Each structure stands twice: as C-alpha cells, then as structure tokens.
Amino acid sequence: MRLRALAFLLVVAVACLLACNGSERATGGLARVKAAGVLRWGGDVQGGEPYVYDDPDEPGHLVGFEVEIADAIAKELGVRAELVQNDWANLVPSLERGTFDVVMNGLEVTESRVGRVLFTRPYYAFAERLMVRADDTSMRPELASLHGKKVGTLANSLAWEMLRGTAEVVPYEGVEEPYADLVSGRTDAVLLDDIIATRYGEPKPELKVLGDLREGYYSIALRPADADLKAAIDDAIGKIAARGELQAILERSRLWNERQPKLRMWSPDDQAKMIGAPPAPPPMGRGHVVLFLKGAGVTLFVSTLAMGIAIPLGLLLALGRMFGGRTAARLASAYVEVYRGTPVLLQLYLLYYGLAPVLKLGAIEAAVIGLGMNYAAYEAEVYRAGMQAVPKAQLEAALALGMSTRLALRRVVVPQALRHAIPNVTNDFIALLKDSSLVSVITVVELTKQMTITAVDVRSWIGPGLLCAGLYFAMSFPLGVISRRLEKKLEGEREAEAHAT
C-alpha cells in the first residue's frame, strides 16, 4: 500500500509539473516577463568595456552601452532589466535551457545561431577588422590572403566561421589575449569585431589595421517559443532608435559611426536579408569523429608529458621537505602550499600570458609545464606520505651499516615509498586527464574544447557530449583497472611481509 501511495504521489507531482510547463508555454514569453517584472538578459562581464563592465568609479555597479540598451528596452516593456552573468561561449545553450529570457552581449547574427534562436532587429552594425603586426607586409585585407596563416579570434564567433577552412584558426575566450599573442609573434593576424579591435588592438603600437573584411550585426537572441517577446522587443528597439535614444547611447560609448543610421529605418526586408537562409546543420559524421580523436590525442599527449614533469619534481620536493635541511624544507613547503592554494587556471594564465614579455612559451609547452608544476605539488604529498609509511628503523639500520643518508634513501626508503605511492599516482593521472580540459583557455584545442566547437556546428550537445565522455572513459578506465590491480598486489605483498615477520 505504501508503495502504491508513493507511486500515486509521484504521478500527481509529474502531472503538476507538466501542467505548470504547459501553462507557461500558453502564456508566452512576454506575459512571463511582465508577470516577473524583470527582463533577465544573459551576458559576460569578461567581455569588458564598452559592452558591460564594472564602473571604475563605483565598483559593483555595471555600466556599458548594452546595459543602457537593456534598461531602455525594459522600460518600454514596463519592467526592469537584470543581467545574469554567464560565460560568453555558452550564452546560447544557457538561453535554451531557460537560464535567462534573452541574450544581449555582442552576439553576432551567424548562420549557426539563426537555426537555433530568434534574432530581433539589430542594435549595432559592426565590421570584422583584420589586424597584423606593424612591420608585416605579407597579407592583404581579404580572406584569401590568410590561407595557411595563424589567425586569432573568439571561438564560435562570426570571424571564427569566416576563417574556418582558410586559415589556421586559434580560438580565444577573452578579447585582450588575441592581440597580446599577435604582438608576441604567436599568431600572424587577428580578426575580430571593430569594437574589440578599437579598444584592445589599435592602442598597441606594434600592431596596425589591415582592413575590414565584412559587416555584421549585434542582435538580441530569444528562444523560438518566445515569438511574442521578440515582437515586443523589436517594437521597443524601433521606438528607441526613432527618438534618437539609441544614437545617444552609442555616442556616449563612442560607437556611433556611418554604419549606424540605417538602424533607425530598419525594415522587414532588412531583417530578412540579415537573417538570410542558413543551411541545415550538418549531422555528426566521420569528419567530426576524426577531430574528436585528434582532440583526445592532444589530451593524452599533454597529460602524459605533464605527469612526466610532476612525478620527478614531486619526488624531489618530498625529499627536500623531509631530508633537505631547513632551507630546502621551507622552500619545498612553500612551493606545495602556493601551488595547492591557487587555481590551476590562474597559473596557466600567468604562465602563458603573464610571462609572455619575458618568456614566450608555445601553447602546448605552457600547458605541459603549467599542469606538470601544479600536479608536482600534489605528487610531493603522495610521496611524502609513502616515505612516512616506511618504518624509521629501516633508515636507522641502513645508516648503522655505514650507508650515507643519500644512499640509504636511494636503496631503502624511496623504492618502498614508490610502491606505496603508485595507486595514488595512477589516480592523479586520471584526474589530470580531465583537468587538462582547462588548457583550452590558452588556445589548446583538446578533447573538451573540440566537443564545444562541434556542438555549435551540429547544434546539439547530446551526440558530441556522449562521444566526448566515451573517449575520456576509454582513456581513464584502463588506468583505473591498473590502479586497482596495483592496490591488490601491494596489499598481498604487505600481508606476505606481515606473515614472514
């Protein structure tokens, strides 16, 4: 009876949830926003000035031309605007899952997005601006001249779509890093929106503008089910543009130029031309699988080399901490605490971008060294625990037999400590395989990054996500099996030693 009652309650709960969802669909997006009294818009503050950023005179208060436009639209709708912070690369997936009502953060109208979301009339017209080093005369302001060149841009942007198949595209997640890498010679050119180029590229004397390759539009994205909300926002943008408020907002951010006046008289024909007729998304095929295998190879390569650094460095740190004297022990302890106490993501940023003026490491080199130095701190603690598990009497006996401390450690203590540490080291290698996904922030396209790129291409996360998970499992499962076998073997040896004594 109790089970039947629980089943009945579960059915009622599911029915209520479905009814609620159905009710929400029936009322529409505009009614939902008006009922909540707030228009929740997704954006990424990392995009910086002039989009949305912290007011330097009032920390915690967001400013930017998109903040002003969002406030103006919300006022027309009779609600207030509220920014929801979200990683820029995942704005559209977050919109689709209902994290916020709209996306407005330099979101370009591209073929891959038109098939997934609704776009309102644009609020800004931009140009894709190509920049190169000031002394570079090898390229022209046209796409064909970038063939075979390393060109930096934001992943999944309009420029990204333009460059694929022509140049060797280097993906970034921030707007400052592409130009820093161009200055340091890591890339040959940068193709990004003119707003970004003007703020972050043109101030650098080592760079020059080669030209604008094409125009594009920033527009507000909505879920396909929110057509009524799109119509209301279209009407709001039209009123804002007609009374000159949009021009005033753009002028305050020094963004008004010869491309913007056409936004006042935006027509349905202009909207249809902007949206175009995007092709259907390609299904996942053999080509995608090959790219995934390539990404898995990069993940395995970076992880293996990083572990090759972490193991010997961790052992040296452990020996220094336990037997290296006061100074060596303090230095080793400081290393361990600093690396364990700071995020590996921050360490990768500092190693790749922070040290670029004095040490120009390639992306793969920086990824291997950064992960290796970070994991060395954890390996040091694993080996220290292994050495502490060796009875002190063994070291004392070795010294009594006339061995030096170094010889006793090499022949007696360290071999036994390594045996104790092997299972934990194997576990750490499995963890490193997954942590290696962080190196995408320094432009390394490893397995997880390849998954996000493919998900945008095929407009689905399920297939790419499952394939990505399968490849990670295929790499980590054998290591797990080895770890368990080693644990059993060591346990058997310990029991044999205990019986012998």
Side-chain angles (χ1 to χ4, degrees):
M1 288 295 291
R2 186 174 296 176
L3 286 175
R4 287 183 180 177
L6 287 173
F8 175 75
L9 289 174
L10 182 62
V11 170
V12 171
V14 171
C16 289
L17 286 172
L18 291 174
C20 290
N21 286 336
S23 175
E24 185 176 337
R25 288 193 200 100
T27 54
L30 180 60
R32 184 188 66 242
V33 168
K34 285 185 174 293
V38 58
L39 176 66
R40 304 174 79 238
W41 59 287
D44 188 354
V45 180
Q46 185 186 357
E49 197 270 343
Y51 299 94
V52 51
Y53 58 101
D54 264 315
D55 185 348
D57 298 325
E58 189 179 347
H61 176 62
L62 295 176
V63 294
F65 81 100
E66 289 183 331
V67 175
E68 293 190 59
I69 292 175
D71 287 340
I73 292 172
K75 187 177 179 180
E76 288 292 329
L77 298 180
V79 298
R80 64 181 175 84
E82 178 182 295
L83 171 69
V84 179
Q85 169 62 32
N86 198 98
D87 180 67
W88 190 84
N90 293 317
L91 282 172
V92 172
S94 295
L95 171 71
E96 291 173 331
R97 71 177 300 279
T99 305
F100 30 72
D101 301 306
V102 301
V103 172
M104 186 177 65
N105 193 212
L107 195 71
E108 304 140 320
V109 179
T110 65
E111 287 186 349
S112 62
R113 293 182 184 129
V114 166
R116 297 177 64 178
V117 297
L118 296 177
F119 278 112
T120 65
R121 60 184 290 170
Y123 60 87
Y124 186 75
F126 66 90
E128 288 293 358
R129 184 156 294 172
L130 181 65
M131 293 195 69
V132 298
R133 282 185 290 280
D135 58 352
D136 192 337
T137 58
S138 64
M139 284 176 273
R140 303 180 303 280
E142 56 189 41
L143 203 58
S145 73
L146 301 179
H147 184 74
K149 300 287 187 181
K150 292 182 70 174
V151 185
T153 190
L154 292 175
N156 301 324
S157 63
L158 177 61
W160 170 269
E161 292 190 2
M162 292 169 61
L163 292 167
R164 292 176 69 182
T166 300
E168 181 183 344
V169 192
V170 182
Y172 291 87
E173 298 185 5
V175 294
E176 177 70 29
E177 298 91 331
Y179 297 105
D181 272 5
L182 180 58
V183 170
S184 66
R186 286 170 171 156
T187 58
D188 300 310
V190 171
L191 183 64
L192 280 171
D193 305 351
D194 60 343
I195 290 183
I196 301 172
T198 302
R199 258 63 176 186
Y200 300 95
E202 294 178 26
K204 299 183 186 302
E206 303 91 342
L207 306 180
K208 67 178 180 183
V209 174
L210 202 56
D212 295 338
L213 302 194
R214 62 164 287 185
E215 286 191 0
Y217 298 96
Y218 290 162
S219 182
I220 298 174
L222 303 94
R223 287 181 289 276
D226 290 343
D228 59 337
L229 181 58
K230 172 193 174 298
I233 293 177
D234 275 339
D235 184 57
I237 295 175
K239 291 178 180 176
I240 294 166
R243 65 173 178 254
E245 187 175 353
L246 179 60
Q247 179 176 347
I249 291 172
L250 296 179
E251 284 178 341
R252 279 195 290 275
S253 293
R254 294 171 288 121
L255 295 173
W256 186 260
N257 53 40
E258 69 281 0
R259 286 188 296 276
Q260 312 311 320
K262 59 187 174 187
L263 300 181
R264 292 197 195 105
M265 304 300 292
W266 195 254
S267 68
D269 288 342
D270 294 328
Q271 184 75 7
K273 188 177 178 182
M274 179 186 77
I275 296 297
M284 274 198 70
R286 183 180 299 175
H288 290 112
V289 175
V290 171
L291 290 175
F292 268 71
L293 292 175
K294 185 179 177 182
V298 173
T299 292
L300 196 59
F301 179 76
V302 168
S303 302
T304 303
L305 292 185
M307 208 62 188
I309 293 175
I311 289 174
L313 182 55
L315 182 59
L316 287 175
L317 289 168
L319 289 170
R321 198 168 180 181
M322 295 185 68
F323 304 101
R326 182 178 297 178
T327 302
R330 286 181 176 176
L331 288 175
S333 297
Y335 181 99
V336 171
E337 296 306 326
V338 167
Y339 271 90
R340 288 197 311 180
T342 54
V344 65
L345 196 63
L346 174 63
Q347 295 162 18
L348 289 170
Y349 270 123
L350 290 175
L351 183 64
Y352 187 70
Y353 295 114
L355 296 181
V358 293
L359 182 63
K360 294 178 183 177
L361 292 171
I364 292 290
E365 291 91 337
V368 169
I369 294 173
L371 289 176
M373 294 181 70
N374 178 272
Y375 265 73
Y378 295 94
E379 297 314 295
E381 292 302 277
V382 170
Y383 296 132
R384 191 165 70 90
M387 284 186 267
Q388 288 174 337
V390 178
K392 289 184 179 178
Q394 294 192 21
L395 177 60
E396 294 169 355
L399 296 176
L401 290 173
M403 290 186 184
S404 64
T405 302
R406 181 175 298 183
L407 185 61
L409 288 173
R410 182 158 57 89
R411 291 188 176 179
V412 178
V413 178
V414 172
Q416 295 185 75
L418 291 179
R419 287 173 54 198
H420 291 297
I422 283 175
N424 288 332
V425 172
T426 310
N427 285 330
D428 284 346
F429 188 46
I430 295 172
L432 179 56
L433 277 173
K434 289 170 282 188
D435 283 352
S436 65
S437 62
L438 295 172
V439 302
S440 64
V441 300
I442 55 172
T443 75
V444 177
V445 182
E446 40 66 60
L447 183 54
T448 302
K449 187 66 178 180
Q450 185 58 57
M451 187 274 291
T452 62
I453 292 171
T454 303
V456 174
D457 283 346
V458 301
R459 303 174 199 172
S460 172
W461 288 80
I462 296 177
L466 290 175
L467 181 56
C468 180
L471 287 172
Y472 271 117
F473 182 77
M475 290 188 287
S476 60
F477 181 71
L479 294 171
V481 172
I482 292 172
S483 176
R484 287 192 293 274
R485 288 182 177 177
L486 285 172
E487 288 179 16
K488 289 181 180 178
K489 183 180 179 182
L490 291 174
E491 187 64 28
E493 290 178 357
R494 290 192 195 102
E495 290 178 359
E497 289 173 0
H499 287 304
T501 56

